[in-house]
Amino acid sequence: MAHTIVLGMQWGDEGKGKIVDLISPAFDAVVRFQGGHNAGHTVKFADRHFALHFLPSGIVHDRIQCLLGNGMVLYPQALFDEIAEVEGAGIKIGDRLLVSDRAQVILPLHAALDGAREAARGEAKIGTTVRGIGPAYETKAARLGVRVGDLAADDLPQRLERLIAWVRPQLAALGVEDDLEVAREVERCRGWAERLAPRVVDGSLTIARWGEAGRGVLFEGAQGTLLDIDHGTYPFVTSSNCTAGGVATGAGLAPTRIDGVLGVIKAYVTRVGAGPFVSELDGAVADHLRARGNEFGTTTGRPRRCGWFDCVAARYARRINGIDALAITKLDVLDEVEEIALCVAYDVDGERVEEFPSSLDVLRRARPIYETVEGWQTSTDGTLDLSELPDKARAYLDRLATEVGAPIGLVSSGPRREETVVLDSTEMRHLLGDRLDAVLAHRDG
């Protein structure tokens, strides 16, 4: 059975939740390998709508097991609340959700530090969700963090004492008076440990045993390639590795066990928060894309910045992730646009640049070099077969595939599971472990 990665190729919000939900029937388990509840994955089918933050999108499928991997940072109370919300909507989670004992724990002090720092930055804000994600990864790297498996440890008070001693002077320097008490934090953690205990496992061992039993595993990324801590538009990035390499460390899976990567990419580009965005638009076209695409953050509700498709960034994402096939989302958002532009290269101080720069300074000076194509101005909503798309829409898709350098495997023609073109191709059958027929049946209800 296949071990396949699904991840975003832009700045997140590409529609990964829908794609994971759609292809989950080809797998037996879904694993989140990085990030925290700064992520937001939306799943829609029929009249159902789920906005997930910690839970993998596969959780809406009754037979599929889900694992929160060691590369994640977890705020247990928010996780409990999300479980209750999803179960309250009729999804039976039961013992299908597992949590790695090596995942890091977010404490309220992390969120306090995150919020204080963003407030102090003023106009230079990074644009975090102020939920403590970055500080939790910091304490992990500083070897001061608390892991899920440590919540019941005898030395927890000493661990928390060291952590508070690290946080307190930083809060004070930012003008924030804290009320942190070791005893209260210990009590909170012990309560979390008791509630989490039935779900806690050795994540890497669990995945290995699934593989030994011939079970297919889907690895679900959060955020997107250009927000990766190493490969994104640093420092305007998230605090984890959301590229394909993050699966090996964030889930404990040997790289040689990865069978393929499905890259999710919008037919245009959006970004939330600050940072460079070469093909960004403003004015009427940006407003149209934002309104028609409902471009508001799943987690924060913030309006997303919108721009034309960036081929330079997409080629970069294809290269560093080893993308085998593309899932192109929100094609229908472009249905009413008369003329569509593609950013095929950058102009940096008069020089044509076709490789994505690492320098923030260079990206700020970069100007898009556009080529335009005619829009199709015909509805593609709910299209299920590539042959049914308008000729100009098919030509646009072909151009994207050529520019990015990867074949198309899926095309989303609406927000719901059932509004998707699924190509019967060699690449898709490889990625889905010969369960393409199950995915098609799932799409069609």
Side-chain angles (χ1 to χ4, degrees):
M1 298 305 300
H3 281 23
T4 297
I5 304 169
V6 172
L7 51 77
M9 295 177 64
Q10 295 162 323
W11 280 285
D13 308 312
E14 300 95 346
K16 298 178 292 296
K18 171 185 173 171
I19 303 305
V20 171
D21 165 58
L22 173 68
I23 69 174
S24 285
F27 301 89
D28 302 293
V30 179
V31 178
R32 267 279 307 272
F33 61 91
Q34 48 78 218
H37 57 324
N38 55 340
H41 289 178
T42 301
V43 175
K44 291 184 179 182
F45 54 94
D47 61 349
R48 311 296 300 279
H49 179 184
F50 297 92
L52 306 174
H53 304 282
F54 279 126
L55 298 178
S57 301
I59 202 68
V60 302
H61 299 269
D62 289 343
R63 70 169 186 84
I64 292 178
Q65 286 192 284
C66 293
L67 170 68
L68 305 182
N70 60 274
M72 292 187 68
V73 288
L74 303 176
Y75 181 41
Q77 188 55 56
L79 175 61
F80 300 144
D81 292 345
E82 187 171 336
I83 291 171
E85 182 179 351
V86 170
E87 289 191 323
I91 301 298
K92 296 179 180 179
I93 294 178
D95 60 1
R96 291 190 300 116
L97 179 66
L98 305 174
V99 178
S100 171
D101 56 2
R102 291 175 171 84
Q104 294 281 321
V105 176
I106 301 173
L107 296 163
L109 57 83
H110 290 118
L113 184 57
D114 200 359
R117 286 175 174 173
E118 278 291 90
R121 288 187 180 108
E123 293 184 0
K125 288 179 180 177
I126 297 294
T128 79
T129 58
V130 298
R131 297 190 174 190
I133 310 299
Y137 277 113
E138 277 184 67
T139 55
K140 173 183 179 178
R143 295 174 288 277
L144 291 169
V146 174
R147 302 194 296 182
V148 167
D150 300 326
L151 291 172
D154 291 340
D155 67 345
L156 180 66
Q158 291 76 33
R159 291 172 181 266
L160 289 171
E161 188 173 1
R162 289 193 293 271
L163 182 54
I164 288 173
W166 182 81
V167 169
R168 177 165 283 148
Q170 295 183 65
L171 289 173
L174 292 166
V176 176
E177 185 176 345
D178 73 80
D179 59 351
L180 297 171
E181 295 178 5
V182 172
R184 185 169 57 204
E185 295 304 313
V186 169
E187 182 181 5
R188 189 198 318 270
C189 288
R190 297 300 193 208
W192 288 344
E194 185 176 353
R195 293 184 67 180
L196 283 171
R199 303 188 184 278
V200 177
V201 297
D202 181 325
S204 177
L205 179 61
T206 299
I207 295 168
R209 286 178 173 167
W210 284 338
E212 291 165 2
R215 305 182 71 187
V217 184
L218 181 61
F219 296 88
E220 177 180 358
Q223 287 87 38
T225 296
L226 301 179
L227 290 175
D228 184 275
I229 184 69
D230 287 299
H231 302 289
T233 50
Y234 189 88
F236 297 96
V237 293
T238 193
S239 303
S240 58
N241 288 114
C242 34
T243 42
V247 171
T249 54
L253 179 73
T256 52
R257 296 303 309 278
I258 298 169
D259 295 305
V261 186
L262 179 64
V264 187
I265 196 161
K266 273 180 185 168
Y268 52 100
V269 186
T270 63
R271 175 166 199 168
V272 170
F277 184 175
V278 176
S279 65
E280 184 172 12
L281 293 164
D282 56 20
V285 176
D287 292 341
H288 173 78
L289 295 177
R290 189 176 299 110
R292 179 157 170 93
N294 191 28
E295 296 297 355
F296 299 90
T298 303
T299 298
T300 63
R302 291 181 291 183
R304 297 171 184 150
R305 300 156 64 190
C306 297
W308 293 126
F309 190 88
D310 187 332
C311 301
V312 181
R315 287 193 295 267
Y316 171 68
R318 186 265 304 158
R319 173 170 58 83
I320 64 174
N321 289 302
I323 300 296
D324 293 287
L326 302 172
I328 297 182
T329 61
K330 296 203 172 183
L331 180 70
D332 54 299
V333 173
L334 299 176
D335 283 353
E336 299 172 3
V337 179
E338 183 176 352
E339 188 175 73
I340 302 169
L342 291 90
C343 174
V344 296
Y346 299 159
D347 181 313
V348 181
D349 302 331
E351 179 182 352
R352 183 184 177 97
V353 173
E354 296 186 352
E355 297 295 337
F356 194 74
S358 63
S359 166
L360 191 68
D361 183 55
V362 172
L363 280 169
R364 283 174 172 154
R365 300 202 314 276
R367 296 295 177 264
I369 297 175
Y370 286 126
E371 293 184 9
T372 59
V373 298
E374 290 183 29
W376 43 95
Q377 296 186 281
T378 303
S379 175
T380 62
D381 286 352
T383 301
L384 299 183
D385 193 294
L386 203 62
S387 65
E388 297 173 359
L389 288 172
D391 289 344
K392 290 177 182 178
R394 292 180 64 184
Y396 181 67
L397 291 174
D398 289 343
R399 181 68 186 279
L400 295 191
T402 299
E403 289 287 348
V404 177
I408 295 172
L410 296 167
V411 180
S412 174
S413 57
R416 291 175 173 77
R417 172 197 298 162
E418 53 268 29
E419 298 171 317
T420 315
V421 177
V422 181
L423 277 72
D424 187 346
S425 63
T426 301
E427 292 83 10
M428 288 305 293
R429 288 199 176 271
H430 170 69
L431 289 170
L432 301 179
D434 290 329
R435 287 189 179 178
L436 179 63
D437 292 341
V439 170
L440 290 169
H442 175 55
R443 178 198 68 180
D444 298 336

